[in-house]
Amino acid sequence: MNYLIIVQISPYIIPLPGSGGLERVVYNLSIELDKMGHEVYVYAVAGSKGGGIIIPYGHRWDQWDLKEFVLQTMPDDTDVIHDHTHDLIFGEAQLSIPVVSTIHTEWSKNQPVQYPVFVSETKLRQSIHHDRGYFVHNGIDIDEYEFSKNKRDYLLFLGRIDREKGVEDAIKVAELTGMRTIIAGPPWDSELFNELLPRIHNNPNIEYVGEVHGMAKQKLLKNAKWLLFPTACEEQFGLVMIEALACGTPVAAYPRGAVPEVLSGFPTFLCGDVYEMADKVSSPPLFSPSDLRRYVSDRFALDKMAEKYLSIYNDVVKGGD
């Protein structure tokens, strides 16, 4: 691989590494690219961490202001720009420097960007870019995830509190099974959150612990009997699923979007509805915790993600010559 000067542009809402999958991917990728010896510049919200040189831009809610700031301050000899913004504002621009755009959201999958990259093959095939785009699975540093064979008797929902992530069905599973269930995540939809609070407070088996990070998140993931992933949207990937598997924790999930692709090694984890999910988590999984961790190591390791992106960078840089 050639030495490259790479500009990564993170979304302009949450500092890296953040609590969401998108921010975690940008954070991990910047660290790995820097470790591989490339010159990496990361534009991200003030307070961010990551690999290479972090260039903070504060909360620039005007995306076009952000665009001009990046173009005026990035190195003149930049080889490639990697756009992770929600609206792909760099990928849509007609720039002389090649722009790789990772499609992290459903609403941006058909935007007319220069070099589109999807985080699953499923989503690439469903887009208008299916005959010319790329796909790269999200990756994690598996060494950052604590592994445990000994599970405690609770279910875990870990994600933002909104209708897209299916928290209502997670609570329904708790009600159907009577199993202790921990709900963790930021309340993005305050109206929904207020609707659900009485059901949470009136059920002694359900506990809401708010947004979690670091060791608190690790502890919840590694000790859970099952992770509940009752997504109500067409998932682009679902990073928390591989985080759980890396900890040796099985995942009960709805087969929406890229979920069947991500869990292709464990088709029995897929559930058709909330009742099937309740039945699933009431029984032990068919795979050992070690099987789950090995699966992530083989398919979703951070170095594999970085190597695939580097291959794409080199392709587009040659194409721009």
Side-chain angles (χ1 to χ4, degrees):
M1 292 289 182
N2 298 325
Y3 165 82
L4 295 174
I5 299 175
I6 305 162
V7 168
Q8 301 268 327
I9 305 170
S10 176
Y12 34 88
I13 300 176
I14 304 172
L16 305 181
S19 58
L22 193 166
E23 288 78 20
R24 176 63 63 173
V25 168
V26 180
Y27 171 81
N28 283 335
L29 180 58
S30 68
I31 289 176
E32 193 68 15
L33 291 171
D34 180 60
K35 190 186 302 181
M36 290 176 167
H38 299 277
E39 190 171 334
V40 182
Y41 296 84
V42 183
Y43 286 82
V45 172
S48 292
K49 300 176 182 179
I53 298 172
I54 305 293
I55 303 177
Y57 52 72
H59 282 282
R60 292 173 177 262
W61 294 106
D62 184 337
Q63 60 184 6
W64 303 112
D65 187 34
L66 168 60
K67 178 182 172 185
E68 291 306 313
F69 175 69
V70 172
L71 295 178
Q72 291 171 13
T73 58
M74 71 183 191
D76 292 335
D77 52 352
T78 296
D79 291 302
V80 63
I81 295 173
H82 192 161
D83 185 2
H84 297 273
T85 63
H86 292 294
D87 298 310
L88 306 178
I89 57 178
F90 294 86
E92 287 193 328
Q94 300 297 317
L95 302 178
S96 58
I97 299 171
V99 179
V100 170
S101 300
T102 295
I103 316 296
H104 292 282
T105 60
E106 181 69 14
W107 66 78
S108 60
K109 69 178 182 181
N110 289 325
Q111 285 184 241
V113 295
Q114 190 178 15
Y115 297 108
V117 180
F118 291 78
V119 294
S120 64
E121 187 175 10
T122 299
K123 287 300 170 181
L124 170 60
R125 289 178 175 175
Q126 292 175 354
S127 80
I128 63 172
H129 306 294
H130 60 86
D131 58 345
R132 68 178 190 87
Y134 303 85
F135 80 92
V136 178
H137 285 147
N138 290 334
I140 61 173
D141 182 352
I142 196 167
D143 292 332
E144 290 186 354
Y145 292 85
E146 295 185 0
F147 173 76
S148 177
K149 294 181 180 179
N150 302 313
K151 303 302 178 181
R152 298 181 185 173
D153 196 21
Y154 69 85
L155 308 176
L156 173 65
F157 173 90
L158 180 59
R160 64 180 188 264
I161 310 302
D162 66 15
R163 298 189 191 280
E164 281 194 348
K165 291 301 179 181
V167 63
E168 295 164 285
D169 274 15
I171 291 173
K172 181 67 173 178
V173 168
E175 293 169 340
L176 288 170
T177 61
M179 297 174 67
R180 182 185 175 213
T181 302
I182 296 176
I183 307 293
W188 279 33
D189 186 332
S190 57
E191 182 180 348
L192 173 64
F193 183 63
N194 289 330
E195 288 178 13
L196 296 177
L197 275 178
R199 292 171 66 184
I200 294 173
H201 290 157
N202 293 332
N203 191 324
N205 293 321
I206 304 176
E207 180 183 6
Y208 174 65
V209 298
E211 187 172 0
V212 293
H213 300 281
M215 294 307 297
K217 177 181 175 181
Q218 289 278 339
K219 185 177 180 181
L220 287 176
L221 278 172
K222 76 175 183 178
N223 291 321
K225 186 174 182 180
W226 285 86
L227 175 78
L228 303 177
F229 196 75
T231 180
C233 66
E234 291 298 306
E235 286 290 338
Q236 304 298 306
F237 186 85
L239 193 69
V240 71
M241 293 191 293
I242 63 171
E243 291 180 317
L245 296 176
C247 294
T249 299
V251 179
Y254 290 161
R256 293 188 173 129
V259 173
E261 180 180 338
V262 175
L263 295 180
S264 62
F266 310 107
T268 58
F269 288 174
L270 302 177
C271 309
D273 57 30
V274 69
Y275 300 101
E276 186 177 345
M277 184 171 287
D279 287 341
K280 183 76 61 183
V281 301
S282 298
S283 304
L286 300 177
F287 302 91
S288 72
S290 298
D291 292 334
L292 307 184
R293 187 173 178 88
R294 190 178 308 111
Y295 177 78
V296 176
S297 179
D298 290 344
R299 300 195 184 199
F300 303 110
L302 178 54
D303 60 337
K304 290 181 171 61
M305 175 180 72
E307 288 167 1
K308 288 180 180 178
Y309 271 120
L310 277 174
S311 178
I312 294 171
Y313 296 160
N314 279 282
D315 281 349
V316 302
V317 167
K318 291 176 183 177
D321 289 342

